[in-house]
Amino acid sequence: MLDELQDLETRALRALANAATPQQVEEVRVQFLGRAHGELNGFMAKLPKLSPEERRPAGKMLNDVKEHITEAIADRASELEAASVREAPALDLSMPGRETWRGGRHPVTLVIEEIEQIFRQIGFTIALGPEAETEWYNFGALNFPPNHPAMDAHDTIYLSDDVLLRTHTSPVQIRTLQRWAPPIRVLVPGNVYRRDPFDASHAPGFAQIEGLSIDEGVSFVDLKATLTHFAREFFGTAITRFRPSFFPFTEPSAEMDVQCRLCKGAGCSACKGTGWMEILGSGMVHPAVLEASGVDSERYSGWAFGMGPGRVALQRYGIPDIRALYDTDVRVLGALSE
Amino acid sequence: MNASTSWLATFVDTGLTPQQLADLITSRVATVDAVEPLRSDLSTIIVGRVVTAERHPDSDHLWLTTVDAGGAEALEVICGAPNVTVGAKYPFAPVGATLPGGLKIEKRKIRGKTSNGMLCSSRELGLGTDHEGILALSTDAAPGTPFLQVLPNADTRLVVDVLANRPDLLSHRGLAREIAAATGKPLQTDPAPTFSTGPAATVRIAVEHATDSPTYMGAIIKGVKIGPSPQWLVDRLAAVGVRAINNLVDATNYMLHGYGQPMHAFDLDKLAGGLVQVRRARPNEKLVTLDGVERSLDAEMVVIADAERAQGLAGIMGGRTSEVSDTTTNVFLEIATFDPRRTRRTSRALGLSTDASYRYERGVPRELAEDVYGTTLQLILSLCGGTIAGSPAVVAAPEVERQRLTLRTTRVRTILGVDIPSAESARLLSAVGFQVAAVGEDLSVIAPWFRTDIAREIDLIEEVARLRGYETFPSDLRPYRPSAVPDPALLDTTRRLTDTLVGLGFLEARPLSFVADAGPEGVRLLNPLADSESYLRSDLLGPLSRRAEYNLGRKQGDLRLFEIGTVFRRGPATRPIEEVRVAALMMGARRPPHFTEPDPPSFDEWDAKGLGERLASLAFPQASVELRPSPTGESLWMIGINSRLVGTISRLRLDAPAWAKPAYGIEFLLETTETDPVAPPGSNAYGAVNATKTRHIPRYTPAPTFPAMERDVSLLVPDSLNGGAGAVEAVLRNVEGGVLEGVRLVSEYRLSAGERSVTWRLTFRHPTRTLTEKEVDERQRKLLRTLETELGVRQRAV
């Protein structure tokens, strides 16, 4: 009987090796391990008829053979399955994957967030303020002389005699100075409004971002250093130029240009041949502004800057017409999402 | 301000090229926006040298020459000028060049010989009237050099962006003063004017309000001859963009652009009553100005009038009636100052801005009139002849003496960040006309009369920084204290919402805030640009819908847009209430098409509800978010945060083409902006607010360790059931406290007109042991009993 069992195992394994399909494997299983007519069952039935001495080794061998065959069946089945997957003709892997919709921040938001990121690393926080302001917050506290040509650049949209849409984010300087004791290092993003007709380079509403740094002993050198650092981080160049300028709320005032990235200062159409890109206005906060905000102007000093992230976005992405930032054409915005 | 480099050179001779001069002005004074070589119509003309010249075989006056024009070979050129000389250089117009008259030079055959260009005379180049011969150049420049580089009177226009606080720079002398200081070159001063006066005539001047015109000086000039100006004056004015009119008017314009003093000449014989008065306009008074426009004046405007009527708009423009003409022989010349604010108001009210009003608005110091008075008269007499027959003037006493300011050396250090010795500050300030005296470590300073912008110590510090040069200051980062200002909570909310929406495929929009109509609480603009933009928006979904329509118009129907922005409505105070809201708009395919799904399903109500709920709980992480079906039908759901209504989810009505899929919108309030004044002017409100930052941080819950059991229950939900499936779900959630872990509605099936079968998948789990089938069966039975007793809802027969 032991020999017969050995022979059965050999036959079963050979049959399995020849089985080419899962059906043939199943046939092998039925032939040898089948519950009703399986060959191994035949031996099972014979087992009780053996003498106790014979029964033990035969039983053990029976179990071993069953185990071997069961394992071999499983192995052969998974071999065949793997082969069938490899040979499957259905999947053309050159075909495209399933996409998901692509969202994105607005180009102006991307610029604002990148600027915020740079200033956060050097101790700045964010401040926000209302878009409708009083004349005092928008002009008076910022040292604008009433009815002065300095207001020419601030053609104002009024809501009532005293309430207007802020023409710059600088009113938030006053609100921040009134609310918090120095050290103040804040960045102020927000929408501002000017009564400019909507054309390729002007919009009646646009984003501005401004910075304010006030503490004891903050100087013009800090202004130059911080803004130059910003230029290096944001524009990739520390080659900057500071030009004398005038804003009623800063003194001394300076415009900062960075070297034109396209022509590296040689002069091109993007920089109108000057080699420089006008980036921002800045200056030391005028003592009158500190005084208007209840800050001791002898003890504290500081600087401020302001810039238009929309203009930066136009340069950065090569957009020729500012209206593209407002149209919200999904094909355009989708392609600009970084 | 347009400046001519050659005009500037009459005040200060720097030897700098126009570009160098422009760079210097930009870095020390004011930005030069453009450097424009004048006579660019000569840009194609080059320098040519005559190599050979012989008589044309078939002509007795033509020359056959060869000209070196910088090219490899000399060119054959035929020339008819008698003065052509071998070896001399002339302006040469090569083939392809264009002469100022518009003549284009081409290759030409003249009596059998070819001419490859033209040697030019002064007249052909528009440089004069000389046409006797070609213009011989005395220059070392190589042949081929652009002619403009060697033109003897070449001029360049600098367009200077003069800052609003520096009216003293609105003249050639003013700019030259700064250039002289920056280069160390001397500023030329005018010789003392000399002129004779004739028999006196009387014109009385009356100034109604001294503040309207603090200084009003007149000059009566008799016997002038009006005619064209000499070429030098025409050129000067042309260089700054001013057209020559006649010798007298040109003289006044010369003084305006040269010295910054506007002035006006009246035909004296047209002024009635021997009276010149500076007065406010009368009600409904009319004046035809020099430009021929009839102006309606109001009582706030100041006019120059004779005994009968207005003859000019003070500080802005003269009147037609008393205009100086060819027949004028007697003149009243006005050299005055006018109130900046009143001039500005009038100029804006009439929409009339002139070189004069531009300067008066910014402030013309009263001293300037006296300063230029003699020079002006001398110039006019030399150009127009005549004699001075009187100098009437009304000059009010100065209101304030010029202030003496202290410049503290320590303060210079504090503001500018570097040590600048007082001697250096003194040197810099003196160079531009300040009177400086040392007082210990500090300086006592008096600003010159032409610097109306200097009022405080900080103004002097700016002068020091500017004159020293901004580039001389270091730019090394120094230690700082971090900001004591906390970030606004809104910032964090905005970032989380934006991240989520962008991740879900939404594009951010930043549209304009103006709309045509904003409902009953809309905030109206007093001075809108257009009727279609006369209100501030009162919601975000309106403008976002317009953006969707824009895209639909471009055949883009799969849209996911969002904005976080401000809306406005009228409040009890004068200023509007401002709310920061978030809005999202979705329409079209839920996913991009794929070959496995060529027509993906479109967004529907359930997408909108799910997203709305998610956004609301992102924005208010600690609050309970409730979406209640809207009772009105204007929207689908109302969004409640801790039982407070903050927004809606709705199906949007768009102006959409037939193929467009339904659009859904979500909009809710994030924060009402603080708009009250922080503190009264001049004071602060430190410590009035709580600076602690509250941020939600989720708590840890361990992952379940025991297996869950799921059961699907299908219930018959009659349409008449109050609260619908939501009521069933509420009961399900309430009944089973700890063991029913989840309730999820998985399917809906309509059985009949009045009844649905709705299936929920219930997940049971015990936190500390495995539940038995028997237990779950028991709990499920209990649930079903409760539903039947509370709502009359039964299980669907299987």
Side-chain angles (χ1 to χ4, degrees), chain A residues 154-227:
Chain A
H154 293 252
D155 208 347
T156 309
I157 296 170
Y158 282 87
L159 303 180
S160 68
D161 283 349
D162 181 50
V163 180
L164 46 78
L165 290 175
R166 64 179 178 189
T167 57
H168 48 179
T169 44
S170 305
V172 185
Q173 285 189 18
I174 308 300
R175 291 181 171 273
T176 306
L177 288 167
Q178 284 191 316
R179 178 142 291 164
W180 307 103
I184 287 170
R185 278 165 90 83
V186 290
L187 217 55
V188 184
N191 290 328
V192 303
Y193 301 87
R194 305 233 174 126
R195 206 170 169 280
D196 288 332
F198 206 10
D199 63 26
S201 49
H202 298 90
F206 54 95
Q208 200 175 59
I209 188 161
E210 109 161 40
L212 173 72
S213 171
I214 301 287
D215 201 357
E216 291 176 12
V218 176
S219 73
F220 187 69
V221 170
D222 296 307
L223 176 158
K224 266 193 82 174
T226 312
L227 295 179

Side-chain angles (χ1 to χ4, degrees), chain A residues 105 109 132 152 178 243 251 292, chain B residues 31 344 459 499 575 682 685:
Chain A
R105 285 165 158 79
T109 305
D152 281 353
Q178 284 191 316
R243 289 176 283 123
E251 187 158 22
Chain B
T31 301
R344 180 178 159 83
D459 301 323
D499 284 347
R575 55 197 315 169

Side-chain angles (χ1 to χ4, degrees), chain A residues 96 105-106 109 125-126 131-132 152 158 178 183 195 215 220 224 243 251 253 292 294 298 327-328 330, chain B residues 31 344 408 415 459 462 470 473 481 484-485 487 499 508 510 526-527 547 551 575 578 594 682 684-685:
Chain A
R105 285 165 158 79
H106 191 276
T109 305
T125 52
I126 309 294
E131 296 182 11
D152 281 353
Y158 282 87
Q178 284 191 316
R195 206 170 169 280
D215 201 357
F220 187 69
K224 266 193 82 174
R243 289 176 283 123
E251 187 158 22
S253 301
E298 280 292 312
D327 286 342
T328 322
V330 293
Chain B
T31 301
R344 180 178 159 83
R408 293 167 294 168
I415 299 296
D459 301 323
E462 174 171 61
Y470 285 176
F473 292 86
R481 294 200 288 170
V485 181
D487 277 324
D499 284 347
E508 188 191 9
R510 295 181 72 109
L526 278 190
N527 55 341
R547 295 298 97 212
N551 280 286
R575 55 197 315 169
E578 286 184 38
H594 187 249
N684 64 53

Side-chain angles (χ1 to χ4, degrees), chain B residues 129-373:
Chain B
T129 51
D130 186 5
H131 197 50
E132 288 305 298
I134 50 179
L135 176 63
L137 302 174
S138 52
T139 172
D140 297 332
T145 306
F147 174 61
L148 279 176
Q149 289 183 14
V150 304
L151 183 64
N153 314 319
D155 200 354
T156 304
R157 178 188 296 166
L158 306 180
V159 181
V160 188
D161 181 11
V162 172
L163 307 162
N165 63 332
R166 292 297 303 275
D168 63 301
L169 299 178
L170 293 171
S171 71
H172 283 78
R173 185 172 66 168
L175 273 177
R177 208 180 268 134
E178 292 279 343
I179 295 165
T183 56
K185 294 281 187 341
L187 183 72
Q188 304 295 323
T189 47
D190 297 309
T194 53
F195 49 83
S196 54
T197 51
T202 324
V203 171
R204 194 167 64 82
I205 296 173
V207 178
E208 188 183 26
H209 298 278
T211 49
D212 289 354
S213 177
T215 294
Y216 195 96
M217 301 176 74
I220 299 156
I221 312 170
K222 294 226 159 183
V224 294
K225 279 199 180 59
I226 304 300
S229 291
Q231 190 65 35
W232 69 265
L233 181 51
V234 174
D235 286 346
R236 282 272 179 271
L237 294 178
V240 297
V242 174
R243 193 170 50 89
I245 293 169
N246 60 46
N247 48 8
L248 184 59
V249 173
D250 294 348
T252 62
N253 280 332
Y254 180 85
M255 292 309 294
L256 183 148
H257 292 276
Y259 296 81
Q261 174 65 54
M263 47 188 72
H264 184 68
F266 297 87
D267 187 329
L268 181 59
D269 299 326
K270 307 275 173 61
L271 297 181
L275 177 67
V276 171
Q277 38 177 346
V278 184
R279 61 159 170 83
R280 303 283 167 88
R282 307 219 161 96
N284 304 318
E285 191 163 12
K286 303 259 193 293
L287 169 69
V288 178
T289 41
L290 282 176
D291 52 8
V293 178
E294 186 185 67
R295 312 275 173 182
S296 298
L297 311 180
D298 68 39
E300 294 296 308
M301 298 174 178
V302 181
V303 296
I304 312 301
D306 60 15
E308 291 168 1
R309 67 174 77 82
Q311 293 285 5
L313 213 45
I316 301 175
M317 191 180 268
R320 194 35 106 42
T321 327
S322 53
E323 183 180 6
V324 169
S325 70
D326 290 351
T327 57
T328 300
T329 52
N330 301 318
V331 167
F332 176 80
L333 179 72
E334 160 199 295
I335 304 180
T337 57
F338 297 106
D339 178 30
R341 285 183 203 168
R342 202 165 281 280
T343 310
R344 180 178 159 83
R345 188 198 160 275
T346 305
S347 162
R348 301 200 121 205
L350 297 176
L352 179 62
S353 178
T354 60
D355 282 337
S357 70
Y358 190 82
R359 284 163 178 79
Y360 281 125
E361 277 181 37
R362 282 157 177 75
V364 175
R366 46 193 299 157
E367 293 88 342
L368 185 56
E370 289 169 35
D371 186 53
V372 302
Y373 188 81

Side-chain angles (χ1 to χ4, degrees), chain A residues 22-268:
Chain A
Q23 285 88 344
Q24 287 171 350
V25 172
E26 176 62 10
E27 282 163 23
V28 172
R29 187 190 70 76
V30 171
Q31 183 190 342
F32 292 97
L33 305 181
R35 209 171 281 221
H37 309 289
E39 288 188 33
L40 212 55
N41 260 4
F43 286 101
M44 277 305 195
K46 290 178 190 165
L47 214 52
K49 295 169 190 163
L50 296 176
S51 68
E53 299 81 50
E54 285 173 315
R55 202 184 298 157
R56 190 185 298 272
K60 183 180 180 320
M61 183 146 183
L62 203 67
N63 273 336
D64 286 351
V65 168
K66 184 177 180 183
E67 208 170 287
H68 291 161
I69 296 175
T70 307
E71 267 177 36
I73 288 174
D75 286 354
R76 185 61 186 154
S78 62
E79 253 177 61
L80 287 176
E81 196 187 347
S84 83
V85 167
R86 269 199 306 279
E87 289 161 18
L91 224 49
D92 174 357
L93 297 180
S94 73
M95 291 176 84
R98 194 174 282 134
E99 291 170 81
T100 52
W101 289 128
R102 270 185 69 175
R105 285 165 158 79
H106 191 276
V108 170
T109 305
L110 288 167
V111 170
I112 291 174
E113 289 188 354
E114 191 172 332
I115 295 170
E116 287 179 357
Q117 194 63 33
I118 292 166
F119 280 91
R120 277 194 177 285
Q121 289 168 350
I122 47 172
F124 279 74
T125 52
I126 309 294
L128 303 171
E131 296 182 11
E133 271 293 7
T134 58
E135 280 212 305
W136 188 76
Y137 272 107
N138 197 73
F139 290 125
L142 290 158
N143 198 34
F144 278 78
N147 207 15
H148 188 267
M151 286 157 87
D152 281 353
H154 293 252
D155 208 347
T156 309
I157 296 170
Y158 282 87
L159 303 180
S160 68
D161 283 349
D162 181 50
V163 180
L164 46 78
L165 290 175
R166 64 179 178 189
T167 57
H168 48 179
T169 44
S170 305
V172 185
Q173 285 189 18
I174 308 300
R175 291 181 171 273
T176 306
L177 288 167
Q178 284 191 316
R179 178 142 291 164
W180 307 103
I184 287 170
R185 278 165 90 83
V186 290
L187 217 55
V188 184
N191 290 328
V192 303
Y193 301 87
R194 305 233 174 126
R195 206 170 169 280
D196 288 332
F198 206 10
D199 63 26
S201 49
H202 298 90
F206 54 95
Q208 200 175 59
I209 188 161
E210 109 161 40
L212 173 72
S213 171
I214 301 287
D215 201 357
E216 291 176 12
V218 176
S219 73
F220 187 69
V221 170
D222 296 307
L223 176 158
K224 266 193 82 174
T226 312
L227 295 179
T228 302
H229 169 77
F230 162 68
R232 183 170 46 232
E233 295 290 309
F234 191 88
F235 297 100
T237 174
I239 303 176
T240 55
R241 176 174 84 162
F242 288 80
R243 289 176 283 123
S245 190
F246 168 69
F247 308 104
F249 42 101
T250 56
E251 187 158 22
S253 301
E255 300 266 353
M256 183 178 83
D257 304 338
V258 300
Q259 191 185 63
C260 177
R261 273 178 297 176
L262 298 177
C263 62
K264 297 267 176 277
C268 64

